[in-house]
Structures are given as structure tokens and as C-alpha cells.
Amino acid sequence: MVLSAVGFVASCQRSTPIEAGFRESRLLVGNGIEPSSLDPHTNTGSAESSIISALFDPLIDWNDTATGFVPAAAERWTVSPDGLVYTFYLRKDARWSNGDAVTAQDWLLSLRRFVKPSVAAELAYMAYDVVGVEDFNQGRSADPTALGFAAPDDHTLVLTLRAPNADFLGRLTAYPWLPLHIPSVTAAGGMARPDSDFTRPGKLISNGAYRLTAWLPNQYVEVTRNPYFRTPPGIESLRFFPLESLDTEERAYRSGQLHITSGIPAHKIEGYREADDPALHVTSRVGIRYLITNVRRAPFDDGRVRRALALAIDRKQLAEAVLRTGEAPAYAFIGPIHGGYTPTALLDESIAEARRLLAAAGYPDGQGFPAVEYLYNSNDRNRDVAEALQQMWRSALNITVTLRNEEWKVFLDSRNRGDFQLARSGWLPWTPEPIGLYEQVVSDSGTNDTGWGNARFDALFWEARRTLDSAPRYALYQQMDEILRDEMPVIPLAYYSVARLVHPRVRGWPDNPLEAFTWRSIRFGEMP
């Protein structure tokens, strides 16, 4: 990628892009990868969600510490005593970016689209708690008016659940629950299918603090203040750059071309720490870096092989020598900062036990082990992790794992089609409640690419979601962790810690475990 093509200027010019940004109220953000889509209902990527969150306003938002909720598109809400009926009272002055009024009907039709089978939203399962949604999404029923979505008037939205869900309010902050401007989506043919062009500049109508004004593929996406939003954002425009190399991002920051990076190379973090540079932000994040196995393909159809590879990984070395971002080694799928729950069914790393399991599976000292390929998406850190794992498995188990990297969109497609044996994965939940992570390995989850299913695990999962009292819910989680530890369809590596550079003049950047914030709260200030 040629940096000049994304609007970066040579150092010989009189001012850097960030200085021009301060003058012109434009925030320059490194966003990791080229977005695949800005359709909130079909998106599954964090780079895309960063832009989507600037364009759209959810029903509710997290507060600054990610410990509770604040009004957003809904000015208030109520929950029935039995935990089944959620009623949201929408702001009457809300407007789309073209000036149209935002109504409860917009939300109603958007939510029906989100779960429509032809749209094929991977995250539609997030709405399965709503009455009728699972059958509708799976094609067992065809009447959208029978779903538990209702708009009794222009400014009231009612969601009715089939069972209580301890995680439900938190997930409403997520992009799949966002509304769309129905006339523009309909005109582009996108109400029934996900591949229309209503998300392009000049066509995308949004209800958030910003509107889409430019999308130059592999250059940048720009959003500009929505004049109809209820309060002006702190910065006039945001420009998101798809820089897949963290080294490139870090150099761009140092040369005055970015205000915020999506990350920082691991080998550069210590230097910023030693310099006590205020730009360095390192935050423990709810979420996990892990591997998925394809249990439909040999040799990962054998749980002994899956466990052998899991037990042969030195997670402490991976965290401290490879990742070097402050990430904690993960010995269970759920981390210790997930809503107060602490797992006890932990992996006990042991090369001796890993070798025993591999031999029991028919591969003593790695002899006869078939060709295995590890799939990851192109990223410096992902490559470093892949190479470290490759070496660990070669040293501990005498097996050879080849590496295959793909661009983000292709990588997602390969995983969705099951065209892999072993692949990297990661998940940053919308809430600290563990149920959001367990959902990744439920049998019918749209994001479960492993092919693994366990009837007892599924039953425990659904019981836990219906259990509003934390003590019995946590007891169910412990049983679920035991199943994951014993069957190992997913191999935990490390609990996320997000490290990035944020210019000291950028104010309002969050340091909470969900990185929960609104772009409209970001502003420029003077140097501290």
C-alpha cells in the first residue's frame, strides 16, 4: 500500500496531517484492515464495527466504566418483573442523517431484517431469545409479525423474550441491533439480501453522530458530523485508515500521520513504557485470543489430538515473549474479569501428557501425523503467534504444522465454509457476562465454525442464560468449562489486552475492560 495514496503527506511539508486535523477538527484513526461491509446486520468484524459505531446510535450505551447503561436512541426503558418484556421509549426528536424522523417502525422493520433468513446474518442467533425468532430465522415459520418485536406507536419499541436472559440488555449495545433507514435500504434492494450497495457514500443513511461521506477502498473511510443528531460530536470528522501492518501504523503515528492507532507492535511497547510516553494506552480487555479446530476433518475429529496440541503450548512464553502487550495466559475459555466469574476447570500444560495423548491417538512421537495446516488472517501479530505455535508443536510433539495466511475477507469465508483444519480466532464480547463467549461454541451458533456440538453443553448454556441469579448461574458455567477443557474444540491462548497509541491531545478515550465509548465523546484538547 502506498502511503501517499491515503492522504499522508511528506515530512517536508509545513504541517503534518495530525496538525491539520487539530485545526480542521478531523481525527485520523488507524483501523487495522479494509472493512468488508458497513451493514450492521451482517458485520462480524471489529474494524468494521469501529466505523459502524460512529454512524449509528443504539438503543442504549455503556457508561464510561462499562459497569452500567445510559440512554442513547432510547431516552428511557423498563423491564418487566419476570424479565421477559423490555420496553424502550425512543427520543421524539431523533432524526436520520437526511433529516427524516427516526421511528419505532424503523427499528421494528430493521430487527425483522436482521433475523430474516435470506439476509443470512451470522449473528442472528443473538436474537434467538426473542419470541419466535429462532423458528423464523431457521425457516420453520414465515410470519415476521409473529415475532416478539412490536412498535405500538411511533416512539415505543417492545421486545418480548421467550425466557429470561441475564445478558440481554448488554447485547443491545451491539451493532446487529442497530436500525436502518428503511426507504434507502429498500430502494437499494437490501431488505431481503445482504449484498446491496446501500452502505456506500451517498446512499447510507444513518442515525448516529456521523454520516458516511467517503469510502476509498484501501485508502480510507471518512465520516462527518450528522447535522441532525441531537448533540454535536466533539470532532467534526473521523477518517479511518486500513493499515494492516502495526509497524506501519506506529511509524505513521510517530511521523504525525495518525492520532490513534489500532495497535502497536509488541517489540515497541517496552520503549514507550520506559519513556513514560502518555500516548501509550494498555488496557485489559474482556475477550480471548484462541484457536478453533475443525472437528469435521482429521486429525481434529479426535479429541486426544485437540488436547495434545492444547497442552503442548507454553502460554506464558507466548504472552511474554511473543505478544508482549500485557495479555495474560489463558488456561480456560473464560477469563477472570468476566462479570466476577472465575473458572476453576483449567488446562494443566504438560508436554508429557500431550505426548501420551498423541501416542494414544496413533501418532507416537509424532510418527504418521498427517499434514496439518494452520490458517490465520494477514497481520503481523497473528503471524508471530502462528510461527511461535508452529515451533512449540514441532519441539514438543515432533509434528509439522504448515501456515496459511489470507486477507481478512477471504479468511472469514474460508472459516465459514469449513475450509481449514486449525485456525486463529478471537472474540471481544459486548458484555462482561461469560455467556457471550460460551455462545461461540453452542451447536447452532452462527459463529461456531468448529463443527463441534455437545448436547449437555448446549443444555447447560440455555439453562445458564435463563438463570438471573449469579450464584447458580456461575455453578452452571463451571460445568460448561469442564466440558470445554475435556473436549477442547477451542484452544485458549491469551486474554486480550489492548495496546494502542493515542495522541495526548485526544481526550475521552476509554480505558475500561470493554473499550466502551462513543465517538461523539472524543474531542481535542491542549497538551497536558
Side-chain angles (χ1 to χ4, degrees):
M1 171 175 175
V2 180
L3 292 183
S4 61
V6 298
F8 292 162
V9 298
S11 59
C12 61
Q13 290 183 290
R14 287 183 295 177
S15 68
T16 64
I18 66 166
E19 291 168 339
F22 291 137
R23 291 194 306 270
E24 300 167 11
S25 192
R26 180 187 300 116
L27 184 71
L28 307 178
V29 183
N31 206 45
I33 63 173
E34 172 70 16
S36 59
S37 170
L38 295 181
D39 182 342
H41 296 160
T42 60
N43 175 53
T44 59
S46 58
E48 294 87 349
S49 67
S50 183
I51 302 170
I52 288 170
S53 67
L55 294 168
F56 293 92
D57 198 28
L59 288 166
I60 59 175
D61 266 324
W62 288 99
N63 61 16
D64 291 341
T65 58
T67 55
F69 305 104
V70 295
E75 58 187 3
R76 61 187 179 91
W77 63 92
T78 61
V79 182
S80 63
D82 60 5
L84 295 179
V85 181
Y86 291 70
T87 303
F88 296 89
Y89 301 93
L90 307 180
R91 297 178 185 273
K92 296 181 179 179
D93 60 348
R95 294 289 182 272
W96 292 99
S97 56
N98 67 347
D100 290 351
V102 180
T103 70
Q105 190 73 7
D106 293 327
W107 288 88
L108 173 66
L109 296 179
S110 296
L111 293 177
R112 288 178 181 173
R113 175 188 186 266
F114 166 41
V115 300
K116 190 176 182 66
S118 62
V119 172
E122 284 188 48
L123 300 182
Y125 68 88
M126 290 180 63
Y128 279 9
D129 285 306
V130 176
V131 168
V133 165
E134 182 173 10
D135 285 342
F136 180 77
N137 182 250
Q138 294 293 320
R140 294 188 291 267
S141 66
D143 182 8
T145 65
L147 304 179
F149 305 131
D153 60 52
D154 281 350
H155 299 102
T156 306
L157 179 69
V158 180
L159 309 180
T160 303
L161 309 188
R162 59 183 179 179
N165 180 355
D167 195 39
F168 190 69
L169 262 183
R171 65 180 51 206
L172 294 181
T173 64
Y175 49 80
W177 296 87
L178 292 169
L180 295 176
H181 181 257
I182 303 305
S184 60
V185 178
T186 301
M191 287 302 289
R193 57 189 177 85
D195 57 347
S196 67
D197 64 351
F198 73 89
T199 59
R200 308 306 300 181
K203 293 188 177 183
L204 181 61
I205 308 297
S206 56
N207 75 323
Y210 293 92
R211 56 192 174 89
L212 182 65
T213 49
W215 185 351
L216 281 65
N218 297 310
Q219 297 184 46
Y220 63 80
V221 173
E222 185 169 72
V223 300
T224 305
R225 181 176 69 86
N226 173 9
Y228 298 100
F229 193 69
R230 59 182 177 272
T231 56
I235 293 175
E236 183 71 17
S237 66
L238 317 175
R239 189 171 284 186
F240 298 89
F241 296 95
L243 301 173
E244 295 189 4
S245 165
L246 293 177
D247 282 300
T248 300
E249 277 202 24
E250 192 269 341
R251 288 195 299 270
Y253 175 85
R254 284 191 290 106
S255 59
Q257 300 169 6
L258 291 177
H259 295 109
I260 300 174
T261 69
S262 67
I264 179 173
H267 63 277
K268 295 290 184 70
I269 293 177
E270 193 56 38
Y272 282 91
R273 282 194 176 121
E274 291 176 355
D276 197 24
D277 194 317
L280 180 64
H281 285 237
V282 180
T283 307
S284 295
R285 174 68 163 87
V286 173
I288 187 170
R289 188 187 299 274
Y290 63 102
L291 309 179
I292 60 173
T293 65
N294 188 343
V295 306
R296 295 158 297 200
R297 295 178 60 178
F300 296 105
D301 54 345
D302 190 328
R304 293 169 298 187
V305 172
R306 300 193 298 265
R307 282 184 53 78
L309 267 67
L311 295 178
I313 297 170
D314 186 337
R315 289 163 179 78
K316 188 172 186 293
Q317 179 184 354
L318 191 68
E320 294 179 357
V322 181
L323 294 170
R324 290 185 287 176
T325 57
E327 297 190 14
Y331 301 99
F333 196 50
I334 304 299
I337 61 173
H338 284 71
Y341 169 71
T342 302
T344 58
L346 305 178
L347 278 171
D348 185 12
E349 292 175 353
S350 168
I351 291 177
E353 176 63 8
R355 289 172 176 168
R356 187 194 70 78
L357 287 167
L358 202 63
Y363 311 109
D365 194 31
Q367 295 176 24
F369 195 75
V372 165
E373 187 177 67
Y374 174 79
L375 174 67
Y376 68 97
N377 60 292
S378 302
N379 174 283
D380 295 346
R381 188 163 294 155
N382 293 340
R383 182 200 61 225
D384 293 344
V385 169
E387 292 174 349
L389 293 172
Q390 182 185 49
Q391 177 58 37
M392 289 177 187
W393 290 324
R394 179 185 299 118
S395 174
L397 301 176
N398 195 31
I399 62 175
T400 299
V401 175
T402 60
L403 307 181
R404 169 176 140 217
N405 72 295
E406 294 179 341
E407 182 268 340
W408 177 243
K409 296 179 186 179
V410 180
F411 167 79
L412 289 179
D413 184 60
S414 294
R415 278 192 10 180
N416 292 340
R417 290 186 291 106
D419 181 19
F420 72 97
Q421 292 168 290
L422 184 67
R424 74 153 293 273
S425 190
W427 195 253
L428 299 173
W430 289 282
T431 84
E433 184 63 39
I435 206 72
L437 269 175
Y438 291 125
E439 199 161 25
Q440 306 313 302
V441 282
V442 172
S443 297
D444 61 358
S445 169
T447 54
N448 181 0
D449 293 329
T450 68
W452 178 81
N454 181 289
R456 182 166 172 262
F457 182 90
D458 292 351
L460 290 167
F461 172 83
W462 292 111
E463 184 179 354
R465 287 192 49 169
R466 295 190 298 267
T467 304
L468 300 182
D469 185 6
S470 61
R473 187 168 72 251
Y474 289 176
L476 296 168
Y477 290 164
Q478 297 289 3
Q479 297 179 61
M480 295 163 68
D481 282 334
E482 291 173 4
I483 294 173
L484 292 179
R485 179 197 60 191
D486 294 343
E487 298 205 14
M488 204 53 60
V490 289
I491 300 175
L493 297 179
Y495 301 122
Y496 270 117
S497 179
V498 179
R500 67 174 80 239
L501 299 172
V502 180
H503 194 283
R505 284 191 60 183
V506 175
R507 306 294 167 76
W509 190 261
D511 285 312
N512 61 58
L514 289 176
E515 279 203 307
F517 76 108
T518 57
W519 283 107
R520 66 178 181 273
S521 67
I522 304 298
R523 65 192 187 282
F524 291 139
E526 297 303 318
M527 285 293 292

